[in-house]
Amino acid sequence: MKEFFYDYDEKFGKIFDELYKERFNNLMFSKGRSISYYVPSLEYSYINIFKDNSLDDFVNAVHEYTHAIVDRLYYREQGYTNYPFIELFSMFLEMIAADYMMDMFDDMEEDLNTIRLAGAKQLVVYAENISIEKNYIYQTHEIEDRKKVIAGMVNLSGKSRTYVKKLLDKTAIEKLSYTIPYITAIELYYLYKTDKVACKNLIEYLIYVDGLENYNVNLNDNGIILNTHSSEWIDTLIKRKKS
């Protein structure tokens, strides 16, 4: 993993080195959800990686260590409140880390593609959930209790009560905090394939940028048009799985 972060960016590699040296104090593997928690007053991160003894462990580690690296570069205390890209950099580094592993080892492509496809499937579900919630909110004009909300969403979407109840288990903001970064990460991935320098410069800019009224306009100004490559990305994963 050290070689991967250094290969991507020397600054990322050096911060990873600092974090990894503390692994006996700040790193834990468990069956709990993977998470990185930064303590600003200490300038220190604590990391938990969900462990199931598979390639998922590597992908999860890249994801959480990227969070820790970015937090060290520029910590956003308010998190998801007014910045849509908390998950962006971890998702993007996951994508290129998978390519890195496939280049290094001949027998990992199928498993890594399966991991990517599973992640994509979850994000498609999130996107569908958000669409159902948005349509329901737009057509209702009063605050209703949970029972009426479920019934309304069932009637509007045609989905089952079980589906809608599961949909409501996660907040819309949590689902958006993964969906928006994911479709952005796809575009960054394709940019990285054609122009690594431009991609890395844009990522550094996005790490530090603050207080924009419309981040999508800002992405457009930097040549990132969301959903330009989303279908191509998903179709490629599906074709690889079939083959």
Side-chain angles (χ1 to χ4, degrees), residues 33 63 67 78-91 123 126-127 130 133 170-185:
R33 178 179 178 178
H63 187 104
H67 273 307
Q78 294 181 332
Y80 303 110
T81 305
N82 58 1
Y83 179 72
F85 298 135
I86 294 293
E87 297 293 337
L88 171 60
F89 314 108
S90 292
M91 287 183 159
L123 270 297
Y126 281 175
I130 292 164
E133 290 173 277
K170 280 189 172 67
T171 64
I173 189 65
E174 182 176 0
K175 285 175 280 196
L176 281 167
S177 69
Y178 285 92
T179 306
I180 293 173
Y182 186 70
I183 61 175
T184 308

Side-chain angles (χ1 to χ4, degrees), residues 10-208:
E10 185 176 358
K11 180 164 53 179
F12 273 53
K14 288 180 177 178
I15 296 174
F16 173 80
D17 254 345
E18 294 173 12
L19 293 164
Y20 191 68
K21 286 175 183 176
E22 290 290 315
R23 63 190 180 279
F24 298 111
N25 300 315
N26 68 5
L27 176 64
M28 180 174 69
F29 289 89
S30 75
K31 290 298 182 181
R33 178 179 178 178
S34 293
I35 189 170
S36 171
Y37 183 76
Y38 183 70
V39 183
S41 59
L42 301 177
E43 296 184 351
Y44 198 81
S45 292
Y46 292 94
I47 301 169
N48 180 71
I49 307 296
F50 176 82
K51 185 176 183 180
D52 65 356
N53 298 314
S54 72
L55 273 174
D56 273 320
D57 298 351
F58 170 77
V59 173
N60 290 335
V62 169
H63 187 104
E64 298 308 331
Y65 267 108
T66 303
H67 273 307
I69 291 168
V70 173
D71 283 341
R72 183 73 62 88
L73 290 170
Y74 187 63
Y75 176 64
R76 295 177 184 272
E77 189 172 356
Q78 294 181 332
Y80 303 110
T81 305
N82 58 1
Y83 179 72
F85 298 135
I86 294 293
E87 297 293 337
L88 171 60
F89 314 108
S90 292
M91 287 183 159
F92 168 72
L93 266 293
E94 274 187 40
M95 291 176 178
I96 64 170
D99 283 356
Y100 182 85
M101 290 294 286
M102 285 187 281
D103 289 340
M104 293 285 288
F105 303 97
D106 294 333
D107 58 347
M108 290 192 175
E109 182 171 351
E110 183 178 354
D111 289 340
L112 286 165
N113 189 70
T114 299
I115 291 170
R116 281 175 162 176
L117 196 56
K121 183 177 179 180
Q122 180 62 71
L123 270 297
V124 168
V125 171
Y126 281 175
E128 183 181 48
N129 288 177
I130 292 164
S131 178
I132 291 170
E133 290 173 277
K134 184 206 75 171
N135 291 338
Y136 174 76
I137 291 170
Y138 279 7
Q139 66 88 44
T140 189
H141 302 288
E142 59 184 38
I143 298 174
E144 297 176 325
D145 61 32
R146 181 180 173 86
K147 187 175 181 181
K148 289 183 178 179
V149 169
I150 291 172
M153 286 188 179
V154 167
N155 291 334
L156 189 65
S157 67
K159 298 291 186 180
S160 68
R161 284 182 58 84
T162 300
Y163 179 96
V164 172
K165 289 169 76 173
K166 187 175 181 180
L167 174 160
L168 294 172
D169 286 343
K170 280 189 172 67
T171 64
I173 189 65
E174 182 176 0
K175 285 175 280 196
L176 281 167
S177 69
Y178 285 92
T179 306
I180 293 173
Y182 186 70
I183 61 175
T184 308
I186 291 171
E187 303 310 322
L188 289 174
Y189 173 84
Y190 280 90
L191 176 60
Y192 187 77
K193 290 296 184 183
T194 58
D195 192 336
K196 290 184 179 181
V197 173
C199 182
K200 287 162 68 174
N201 287 341
L202 178 54
I203 285 172
E204 183 166 4
Y205 167 74
L206 291 172
I207 287 173
Y208 292 103

